[in-house]
Amino acid sequence: AQTVTQSQPEMSVQEAETVTLSCTYDTSENNYYLFWYKQPPSRQMILVIRQEAYKQQNATENRFSVNFQKAAKSFSLKISDSQLGDTAMYFCAFRSTGANSKLTFGKGITLSVRP
Amino acid sequence: DVKVTQSSRYLVKRTGEKVFLECVQDMDHENMFWYRQDPGLGLRLIYFSYDVKMKEKGDIPEGYSVSREKKERFSLILESASTNQTSMYLCASSLWWDEQYFGPGTRLTVT
């Protein structure tokens, strides 16, 4: 079974600075998908970014980018130019490519952006 | 935009009551999911469904059942609510096994 580990429960960053959220996972599969989801306070969870394991290039979405290290099974999220609206819980998630495969989530990290 | 709605944002029930949590999505997604979210535990999958009348157990199905009579609606049922089922419940849907879209959540308190 796959596991996803987010070892930092909380982080804080000054507005406009850069922060990196860590995630590691364990799998014996070669092809899979990785995701970062964001859950703002009292608001719906939304997808931030996704990475396909067979793609070597790191995914980017505006201020959000990932550092995907397949051999190390590491998938960190970098948020550049942090904004107050980035304050949220962030969840790392894994999904294999098999039929009917499920998302496995990490325990999440609470990010606070200070003004 | 995909919309996933849940019947209640907050719910308070008594121990032993039968509880229904409803989820509706408007994008004709095949897959629907029920999670519970607890501090320090992240999201844990209770049940999911990949088609009408189809259901599969997730990681923590004990004490729960589900119903999917129509493609757009997926219900979570607590047959006899207990205090350890106090939690945030999140519904999600997806097209095949792509990105999951989440509802706003139902915070259930069982007293």
Side-chain angles (χ1 to χ4, degrees), chain B residues 28-77:
Chain B
D28 204 35
H29 284 172
E30 288 81 8
N31 304 313
M32 297 188 74
F33 308 83
W34 275 107
Y35 297 90
R36 64 177 282 176
Q37 182 180 5
D38 300 289
L41 296 178
L43 275 72
R44 293 179 292 167
L45 182 64
I46 304 171
Y47 267 97
F48 65 103
S49 168
Y50 52 89
D51 202 352
V52 175
K53 297 192 185 295
M54 304 299 288
K55 60 185 179 184
E56 294 253 356
K57 291 181 180 179
D59 301 316
I60 51 164
E62 296 78 17
Y64 304 93
S65 62
V66 291
S67 171
R68 193 165 181 203
E69 297 295 319
K70 293 185 177 181
K71 192 174 186 180
E72 67 270 19
R73 188 179 297 269
F74 192 36
S75 303
L76 180 70
I77 303 155

Side-chain angles (χ1 to χ4, degrees), chain A residues 37 39 44 50 95 101 107, chain B residues 37 40 97-98 100 102 104:
Chain A
Y37 279 86
Q39 186 180 39
Q44 285 169 248
R50 98 182 76 200
R95 178 171 70 76
S101 61
K107 293 183 179 181
Chain B
Q37 182 180 5
W97 298 97
D98 206 345
Q100 290 189 17
F102 285 82

Side-chain angles (χ1 to χ4, degrees), chain A residues 33-50:
Chain A
Y33 298 90
L34 296 162
F35 305 85
W36 278 98
Y37 279 86
K38 170 185 176 181
Q39 186 180 39
S42 301
R43 292 179 60 190
Q44 285 169 248
M45 182 122 52
I46 57 172
L47 179 68
V48 175
I49 199 165
R50 98 182 76 200

Side-chain angles (χ1 to χ4, degrees), chain A residues 12-72:
Chain A
S12 179
V13 64
Q14 195 74 33
E15 194 175 8
E17 293 188 349
T18 295
V19 64
T20 298
L21 311 183
S22 303
C23 174
T24 59
Y25 58 94
D26 189 25
T27 183
S28 58
E29 299 179 23
N30 191 44
N31 290 323
Y32 45 86
Y33 298 90
L34 296 162
F35 305 85
W36 278 98
Y37 279 86
K38 170 185 176 181
Q39 186 180 39
S42 301
R43 292 179 60 190
Q44 285 169 248
M45 182 122 52
I46 57 172
L47 179 68
V48 175
I49 199 165
R50 98 182 76 200
Q51 176 78 43
E52 291 143 349
Y54 63 87
K55 290 187 178 179
Q56 293 194 346
Q57 188 172 4
N58 287 326
T60 63
E61 286 287 345
N62 301 314
R63 297 183 295 108
F64 297 88
S65 62
V66 299
N67 183 6
F68 173 48
Q69 302 287 333
K70 191 172 182 180

